[in-house]
Amino acid sequence: MQHHYRIAILDMNAGQPNEGMRCIKMLVEQFLGRDDIQGDYRIFDVRVHHEIPEVEDFDIFIASGGPDSPKPTGEPWEKKFNWFLDSIYDHNLLEENKKYLFLICHSFQIACLHWKLAKVKRRKSTAFGIMPVHKTKKGKEEFVLEGLQNPFYAVDSRDYQVVKPRKKRFKSLGCKVLCKEKKRPHVPLERAVMAIRFSKRPSTDEYTGGEGGTKRTRVPRPRSRTTRPATASSSSARLAVIRETPKILPSSCSPGSSASLP
């Protein structure tokens, strides 16, 4: 019997018009429009209406980017979103039917802060344009990034960035940095992390996040306890990969994107 895919899109744009949401919906509709796919999707307005999907009701979760600082300010939706991240982690830790999470930009940065994986700081200047993204050694082994050149190119629109990954934290949680931003030998600044896999065992469950393009990760839950928008073709391919690997939980990351948990 053909599986019916249930996809939840978490809109993190705080009510502001955003081209990213149009692209996410377009890609999801393309995926669900395939002859060999059955499913539906629903959009949740996280920051305006404080809507959060029930983990049990969906198979795949895609959290968008958004405006403003990713650092907590005490808004009611923040606790709900962090609870959502932890709920997916707990589900995949205990249940056989894994959930898939893809975090993009703002969502990715929030997850990095929530799981205490790295620092998130304001950039000296806004990143905006089509920028090269470089795979790390682990990124070259990442199946989600297969078919992308090194470097590949992604839309980069960030005021904040993920830097100074905590190596001990990454090691204890089994996380991997998959991509970093463009190389600038003439600029004495650390290169930002563009994608993370938070999964220790990608064969069982997976979370990924990143900036600007696309990315995946899986993370064993910290004490508190999910790649950046790429091109339409590569993003569609990633949704197809999710279908072919039902035990992997994806998340997104780009110059400001997503992540996942075990």
Side-chain angles (χ1 to χ4, degrees):
M1 183 176 178
Q2 193 173 36
H3 181 73
H4 185 94
Y5 291 94
R6 302 162 300 170
I7 302 175
I9 300 175
L10 285 75
D11 184 351
M12 304 289 286
N13 287 289
Q16 298 186 20
N18 183 270
E19 185 69 9
M21 276 298 296
R22 184 190 68 81
C23 293
I24 292 171
K25 289 190 289 184
M26 178 189 71
L27 293 169
V28 168
E29 289 170 359
Q30 287 179 355
F31 174 67
L32 295 176
R34 288 171 41 173
D35 293 338
D36 57 338
I37 296 293
Q38 290 185 0
D40 56 68
Y41 74 92
R42 178 182 168 187
I43 296 174
F44 293 83
D45 191 326
V46 177
R47 297 175 64 179
V48 175
H49 299 300
H50 304 169
E51 297 172 344
I52 294 290
E54 291 291 337
V55 172
E56 297 299 330
D57 292 344
F58 296 90
D59 306 302
I60 299 168
F61 302 86
I62 303 172
S64 78
D68 306 323
S69 171
K71 297 182 180 181
T73 59
E75 293 289 331
W77 66 266
E78 294 171 351
K79 286 187 177 180
K80 288 187 174 184
F81 186 72
N82 289 336
W83 170 86
F84 161 75
L85 295 177
D86 291 345
S87 296
I88 290 188
Y89 171 84
D90 291 338
H91 175 96
N92 284 352
L93 192 64
L94 300 171
E95 303 296 334
E96 179 65 24
N97 62 317
K98 307 303 180 183
K99 303 295 181 176
Y100 300 79
L101 175 62
F102 188 75
L103 301 169
I104 300 169
C105 196
H106 192 75
S107 305
F108 169 68
Q109 294 168 358
I110 291 174
C112 288
L113 287 171
H114 179 58
W115 293 321
K116 298 179 173 61
L117 292 171
K119 288 187 176 182
V120 177
K121 59 183 290 188
R122 191 174 187 90
R123 292 178 55 87
K124 289 186 176 296
S125 61
T126 298
F128 184 77
I130 306 298
M131 304 294 187
V133 179
H134 294 260
K135 300 179 188 179
T136 64
K137 182 178 179 180
K138 294 297 183 183
K140 294 176 183 178
E141 301 169 355
E142 172 59 49
F143 79 92
V144 177
L145 300 178
E146 286 180 4
L148 294 178
Q149 295 181 347
N150 190 27
F152 61 93
Y153 290 81
V155 175
D156 191 351
S157 178
R158 289 173 298 149
D159 286 319
Y160 289 82
Q161 61 184 355
V162 176
V163 295
K164 299 190 182 304
R166 296 184 170 98
K167 294 182 180 180
K168 290 184 179 180
R169 185 72 164 167
F170 267 69
K171 185 175 181 179
S172 66
L173 298 181
C175 305
K176 300 178 181 67
V177 173
L178 301 181
C179 300
K180 289 191 174 184
E181 69 177 344
K182 63 182 180 181
K183 297 178 180 178
R184 297 179 294 174
H186 60 289
V187 178
L189 295 174
E190 179 182 2
R191 294 164 65 202
V193 173
M194 299 296 278
I196 296 173
R197 169 182 286 281
F198 305 91
S199 313
K200 186 176 271 183
R201 300 161 301 176
S203 60
T204 55
D205 40 77
E206 169 186 296
Y207 302 74
T208 308
E211 303 279 9
T214 299
K215 161 185 186 176
R216 288 182 163 190
T217 318
R218 164 188 180 274
V219 177
R221 178 177 191 170
R223 236 7 207 178
S224 62
R225 288 246 203 287
T226 138
T227 36
R228 162 170 176 144
T231 62
S233 59
S234 61
S235 296
S236 297
R238 283 170 181 65
L239 283 176
V241 167
I242 293 171
R243 171 178 170 270
E244 297 301 329
T245 54
K247 290 198 174 182
I248 292 185
L249 176 60
S251 302
S252 55
C253 285
S254 61
S257 310
S258 74
S260 43
L261 295 176

